[in-house]
Amino acid sequence: MTFDKIYQYNFPTTIRFGVGASNELGDYLLKNSLSKPLIVTDATVAELGFFKEIVGGLRRKNISVEVFCDIHKNPVKSDVYKGTEAYDATARDAIVGIGGGAALDVARAIVLRVNHREDLFKYDDLVGGDVFVTNEVPHFITIPTTAGTGSEVGRSAIIADDETHQKKILFSPKLLAKIVFADPLLTMELPAFITAATGMDALTHNMEAYLAKMPHPLCEGIALEGISLINQSLENAVNNPDLESKSKMLIASLMGAVAFQKGLGIVHSLAHPLSSLLDTHHGLANAVNIPYGMEFNISGFEHKFRQIARALELKEETGEAVVKHLFELNAKINIPNKLSDIGVKHEHIETLADLAIADFAHPNNPKPVTREDFKELYSKAL
Ligand SMILES: NC(=O)c1ccc[n+]([C@@H]2O[C@H](COP(=O)([O-])OP(=O)(O)OC[C@H]3O[C@@H](n4cnc5c(N)ncnc54)[C@H](O)[C@@H]3O)[C@@H](O)[C@H]2O)c1
Ligand SMILES: [Fe+2]
């Protein structure tokens, strides 16, 4: 499966998936009478060859392009405000997010802010702010360049407070992209470390979504197939990249995000505090925590771990075998198995546990989690 043809899927939105799909952006804009897009990306992607080619291709079609790339690694509110100023100052008519989860989240938050000018965090979904998302939003298009968050098919943006670094979620069905151009070619040059960390984020999405307590067979089927595709491709995508492994990772990451409409769980709640407190990359934080979080979930859910073990093609179809596999997979793709290897110290554990218990992900975990459980898991992983 190399996706040498482009296929169209309409769940959850229109997805143009395959080699060269990003070349369709210009004609799509013109067909929709859009000629002044704001392209939102990060400063690294803005310098890459494929990005310059996309922008050059649009300009050759007489499309006026404005690029906004002044964003943080873990995006903050002021990034969104600056991007909205760029949108206003040059009278844009659409927003195209091109990049990893960070750039796509900022793009989506700008989509919200253009016609919703109260304080951005008034729209925080965790305090019911989604009810204030009532106005129309600009035409929104996403082009992923990492295979991890699946933010291209998401309806939420994770944006942190500039001072407290607390992460807020902006959510609305209106924030779903009208179309996604998912082109595996754009991920070919991703550095091995980013492929590994983002790939483990995608695996975590699929596994946590599959286990999350809400019944949702549609998402569960997608999650199991996502796990299987990652099992076939992540090691190669990191250590021996080719178009097949990159294609499978890109579709599997997108599937993870479709599946986690069902919810996430304990691993994301262990991971989020590491990004807030220590600025750890989101995927890396999940990667180190996933074996420990999954071990916590086994008892009572052995039947589900049997299905996961099957998707991973393990000889022994048990939760313990899944956990062992996760440790081994991390080692093969050069991800450390201990939190102390990524800068966590004993004195961080109390604060991490406070942040984890307040996190939004674990209420969907199949088993309830207490602050004490979080402390124990962090100590074990240290
Ligand atoms: N909205 C959601 O549903 C959702 C879900 C999970 C995570 N997130 C957010 O996503 C962010 C993490 O996203 P990410 O894991 O994609 O990382 P990222 O966007 O931070 O990108 C990682 C690095 O890779 C570089 N990069 C991106 N594409 C590249 C390419 N093709 N070639 C070379 N380098 C490239 C970027 O410049 C960056 O330095 C976090 O801010 C997290 O909160 C959002
Ligand atoms: Fe994630």
Side-chain angles (χ1 to χ4, degrees):
M1 191 165 52
T2 49
F3 287 102
D4 51 346
K5 268 172 61 190
I6 296 165
Y7 301 86
Q8 178 158 322
Y9 312 131
N10 290 311
F11 173 69
T13 186
T14 303
I15 299 162
R16 299 282 297 161
F17 192 101
V19 172
S22 59
N23 298 331
E24 295 182 347
L25 175 63
D27 286 343
Y28 174 85
L29 289 168
L30 293 176
K31 209 172 99 200
N32 287 278
S33 308
L34 301 164
S35 59
K36 298 183 79 185
L38 177 73
I39 297 193
V40 180
T41 189
D42 67 45
T44 307
V45 173
E47 291 303 318
L48 298 178
F50 71 74
F51 183 84
K52 290 181 178 168
E53 271 174 37
I54 293 174
V55 170
L58 297 182
R59 291 195 171 130
R60 282 193 295 279
K61 287 183 188 291
N62 290 323
I63 294 170
S64 152
V65 179
E66 181 73 22
V67 175
F68 174 73
C69 64
D70 189 8
I71 71 167
H72 288 81
K73 175 175 149 194
N74 283 302
V76 291
K77 180 160 92 173
S78 59
D79 299 339
V80 179
Y81 283 25
K82 277 191 209 156
T84 311
E85 278 162 27
Y87 185 97
D88 290 343
T90 55
R92 301 285 101 192
D93 61 8
I95 295 180
V96 184
I98 303 181
L104 297 187
D105 275 6
V106 175
R108 182 170 291 109
I110 298 170
V111 167
L112 168 68
R113 179 141 186 88
V114 165
N115 290 325
H116 296 84
R117 294 302 173 104
E118 303 277 347
D119 184 280
L120 188 67
F121 293 150
K122 183 179 172 190
Y123 307 100
D124 180 1
D125 185 47
L126 297 178
V127 293
D130 56 320
V131 299
F132 301 114
V133 186
T134 48
N135 300 329
E136 284 313 303
V137 299
H139 199 112
F140 181 38
I141 298 155
T142 51
I143 303 185
T145 68
T146 62
T149 68
S151 179
E152 60 274 13
V153 291
R155 291 162 298 175
S156 56
I158 302 178
I159 304 292
D161 186 282
D162 285 68
E163 275 83 45
T164 64
H165 300 291
Q166 203 191 351
K167 292 200 172 198
K168 314 269 186 182
I169 305 186
L170 309 169
F171 168 86
S172 167
K174 291 184 181 197
L175 303 182
L176 183 63
K178 288 258 185 327
I179 189 163
V180 180
F181 295 102
D183 186 344
L185 271 186
L186 307 191
T187 66
M188 285 306 290
E189 306 293 325
L190 260 180
F193 166 71
I194 298 173
T195 305
T198 52
M200 287 304 288
D201 186 28
L203 181 60
T204 310
H205 293 155
N206 282 293
M207 286 181 66
E208 292 214 288
Y210 178 64
L211 291 166
K213 64 185 180 192
M214 173 187 172
H216 198 324
L218 213 146
C219 286
E220 290 187 12
I222 290 173
L224 282 178
E225 180 64 8
I227 294 168
S228 170
L229 286 165
I230 292 171
N231 183 51
Q232 294 163 38
S233 58
L234 179 55
E235 251 185 270
N236 272 346
V238 175
N239 296 323
N240 201 6
D242 58 7
L243 206 45
E244 176 165 348
S245 58
K246 292 289 187 177
S247 299
K248 285 181 175 171
M249 283 308 301
L250 189 60
I251 192 84
S253 72
L254 192 155
M255 289 161 75
V258 173
F260 79 60
Q261 296 174 40
K262 183 174 177 261
L264 289 167
I266 188 171
V267 182
H268 270 77
S269 288
L270 285 163
H272 287 145
L274 298 180
S275 301
S276 311
L277 198 68
L278 305 166
D279 214 22
T280 312
H281 178 266
H282 175 70
L284 178 63
N286 275 315
V288 179
N289 282 300
I290 189 174
Y292 303 94
M294 286 298 150
E295 192 172 30
F296 176 89
N297 278 336
I298 298 173
S299 74
F301 295 90
E302 289 83 356
H303 57 297
K304 288 209 138 182
F305 276 91
R306 198 171 310 126
Q307 297 295 342
I308 294 175
R310 280 186 192 151
L312 292 170
E313 294 178 84
L314 301 181
K315 279 200 199 89
E316 198 192 316
E317 293 177 352
T318 64
E320 289 72 19
V322 170
V323 170
K324 184 165 170 274
H325 172 83
L326 291 169
F327 278 122
E328 288 168 359
L329 178 61
N330 271 342
K332 283 181 193 152
I333 59 176
N334 295 317
I335 286 190
N337 277 328
K338 287 283 170 195
L339 289 177
S340 49
D341 294 330
I342 57 169
V344 181
K345 297 196 165 48
H346 185 72
E347 59 262 34
H348 292 135
I349 288 184
E350 292 292 335
T351 314
L352 289 173
D354 282 340
L355 292 167
I357 197 68
D359 187 69
F360 59 85
H362 70 83
N364 289 309
N365 197 62
K367 282 163 80 165
V369 199
T370 64
R371 187 180 179 281
E372 203 49 38
D373 292 328
F374 280 118
K375 261 182 73 177
E376 268 177 37
L377 286 167
Y378 283 130
S379 305
K380 200 169 179 185
L382 199 65

